[in-house]
Amino acid sequence: MGERIVGRELAQVLRTGPFSAALHLAIEASGLRLEEIQARLAEQGIMVSQTTLAYWRRGRSRPERPASLLAVAALEGILRLPADALTAQLGPRRPRGRWLDHAPGTMELAEVWSDSESLESLLEAVNTPVHNILHRVSMHDLFVLGPDRGLVSLTTRAVVRATADKISRSVFAYHSDEDEGGLPTVHPVRNCRIGRTRSDPDERFLVAELIFDRVLGTGETAAIEYEMRFGPDAFSDHYHRAFPAETGDYLLQVQFDPAALPARCFRYSRRRENAPDQGVREVWVGSTYGVHVVDRDIAPGLVGLRWEWD
């Protein structure tokens, strides 16, 4: 009886929408788990995380990029639906929220991270309208490694200026491209508190709100500090900061433990995460076991340091 009800509801929603309801009922009717659907997509060379599938299913985001539309077409076959049954529910791309609006000299946050559908889903779930409304006056990252070469913490200090009234928060994204270790935890340090957080362990993205200690008017600034703490199995041989918009000053410091000094360190920049390195130059470890780079008037893209242990 229950299966017949699901079948009738699915037939109805395939005529009327919305996409999320159609996908949800189609998954229910199929009896497949999200991990099974993800695996079948992967067999066709289509990589979509379980988190993204769950967000599509619950209506927290929807597929819009070309790669995601290919995934929807594949889902129709996996879920034994007629061709275009789900695709027809999507219609034209919906207007973006203010945090995704383009302005001259800017990029979408997800675009910097190689057009990540996963990151876009997380940002939409947090839905903090600050992209291109806060000008990044300066940023300072302190990346600390321990004696076992593992990651310890990342402390960020930022000064931002509001370009509109009633701005009370910012948002940041962290991506780990390492296979080992979980995502870090986020902790406020000064002049802010942590709001909504969302993560995708499969794609290894973390997104969090930073709520200021006061509401900003146009031209007013906030100086905030927050810290990410890593678990015992977190390792990396690089760190880079993504800039979706022009930024005034950036200081990146990497602090090594005296018991685990790298053989060489290099500064680099990229237009996007998957783009080739540019401006590569070697930097030297100082007598206090740290390296740093300083940049001014940074264009959208990434700036980072990488190191070699041997």
Side-chain angles (χ1 to χ4, degrees), residues 11-67:
Q12 175 66 26
V13 81
L14 287 176
R15 292 192 295 270
T16 63
F19 169 81
S20 58
L23 178 60
H24 171 71
L25 289 174
I27 292 173
E28 290 291 301
S30 73
L32 295 172
R33 301 188 306 274
L34 288 185
E35 54 265 35
E36 294 174 314
I37 295 172
Q38 181 193 36
R40 295 192 185 188
L41 287 170
E43 289 172 357
Q44 301 180 42
I46 300 172
M47 308 308 295
V48 179
S49 72
Q50 292 181 43
T51 301
T52 296
L53 289 171
Y55 280 6
W56 291 352
R57 182 181 188 177
R58 296 196 297 252
R60 296 178 70 171
S61 67
R62 72 175 193 172
E64 294 185 332
R65 299 182 184 276

Side-chain angles (χ1 to χ4, degrees), residues 64-71 93 117:
E64 294 185 332
R65 299 182 184 276
S68 297
L69 297 180
L70 289 176
R93 293 188 73 176
E117 185 77 50

Side-chain angles (χ1 to χ4, degrees), residues 229-240:
R229 301 170 190 165
F230 297 88
D233 297 323
F235 294 88
S236 183
D237 61 359
H238 67 280
Y239 172 74
H240 46 230

